[in-house]
Amino acid sequence: MKKITIAIDGHSSCGKSTMAKDLAREIGYVYIDSGAMYRAVTLFALKEGMLTKDAFDTEALQKRMGDIRISFRLNAETGKPDTYLNDTCVENQIRTLEVSQHVSRVAAIGFVREAMVEQQRQMGEAKGVIMDGRDIGTVVFPNAEMKVFVTASAEVRAKRRYDELTAKGETCNLDDILQNVVERDRIDSTRAISPLRQAPDAIVLDNTNLTIAEQKQWLLDLYRRIAEAD
Ligand code: DC
């Protein structure tokens, strides 16, 4: 079967990465989490003191963009790729609520997006990749053979994120997470550059009432239909 490019976009916390990772493992494709890249830039800005609750020194970040190297390495134990920032594994640090609360602001900046999109295109050059994010089917790979736009109710998405964080031992509050989910949707969909929107040729998957097994099968069936016809 010919190798294709698979773009999975959609709202935050609707299980895009889980489904993309599962499909990649099943069909032997490379999985790239583009949101992790924006999270890694956010972590860098927080650690360097450029970004606080009240202020964001974007000029300082722009000057240091060349010092940010993001890569993914397969974790032999989990079988999943971990995110590295300048050779340090930051997979857990980029998933905290603090990073989630700042990442939309960082992802709305033009020079950040330009740098990330360039890296994403390089990573996907060889095809056989599944990338998830907000602008993969619209901006990064507008010619992707398979495009999926995932959504689910905000309440269901907040509960899933809450379960994920508490399973990792983080103390969190469901209302704070729901607020964060709604706020990120708002910023992601209304920003001037590459806002979150459904590509006209994307197929919508509303997984509010689907189990992980059901959505896995849905995705696999779609992939087979597209890859076999291509
Ligand atoms: O998928 P995620 O929640 O890890 O993404 C983190 C943030 O990064 C999210 O608020 C939107 C942004 N993002 C983006 O703007 N473009 C992408 N391709 C991926 C993520």
Side-chain angles (χ1 to χ4, degrees), residues 54-113:
D54 312 307
F56 187 5
D57 187 348
T58 54
E59 261 178 45
L61 178 61
Q62 187 162 19
K63 281 193 196 128
R64 299 287 307 279
M65 281 308 285
D67 298 336
I68 302 177
R69 276 176 294 109
I70 300 164
S71 56
F72 296 98
R73 298 181 202 167
L74 198 70
N75 179 325
E77 234 169 73
T78 61
K80 293 171 187 170
D82 281 342
T83 311
Y84 280 71
L85 172 61
N86 297 338
D87 296 323
T88 303
C89 179
V90 292
E91 189 53 35
N92 287 331
Q93 288 182 68
I94 61 169
R95 310 285 168 196
T96 60
L97 191 55
E98 188 191 14
V99 170
S100 298
Q101 277 162 341
H102 289 94
V103 64
S104 286
R105 279 204 289 160
V106 175
I109 298 173
F111 65 79
V112 172
R113 300 207 72 83

Side-chain angles (χ1 to χ4, degrees), residues 89-208:
C89 179
V90 292
E91 189 53 35
N92 287 331
Q93 288 182 68
I94 61 169
R95 310 285 168 196
T96 60
L97 191 55
E98 188 191 14
V99 170
S100 298
Q101 277 162 341
H102 289 94
V103 64
S104 286
R105 279 204 289 160
V106 175
I109 298 173
F111 65 79
V112 172
R113 300 207 72 83
E114 269 170 36
M116 295 304 111
V117 168
E118 194 187 318
Q119 286 189 30
Q120 288 153 9
R121 287 190 179 141
Q122 279 169 11
M123 290 171 176
E125 230 165 23
K127 295 222 167 209
V129 294
I130 304 178
M131 194 176 290
D132 76 336
R134 305 293 188 286
D135 60 342
I136 311 306
T138 51
V139 175
V140 183
F141 299 127
N143 297 324
E145 292 86 348
M146 174 168 158
K147 296 183 188 177
V148 178
F149 189 86
V150 197
T151 190
S153 77
E155 287 73 17
V156 164
R157 288 185 281 134
K159 178 71 170 62
R160 287 177 190 159
R161 184 65 87 169
Y162 174 84
D163 290 344
E164 199 179 276
L165 289 170
T166 43
K168 280 188 201 159
E170 242 194 81
T171 317
C172 52
N173 174 292
L174 187 56
D175 285 338
D176 290 347
I177 295 178
L178 178 59
Q179 233 179 22
N180 175 249
V181 162
V182 172
E183 179 62 2
R184 279 204 289 151
D185 285 352
R186 189 190 65 75
I187 301 177
D188 293 344
S189 315
T190 56
R191 69 179 173 221
I193 311 164
S194 306
L196 167 66
R197 61 183 171 81
Q198 187 192 324
D201 50 348
I203 296 168
V204 177
L205 168 64
D206 182 337
N207 68 13
T208 306

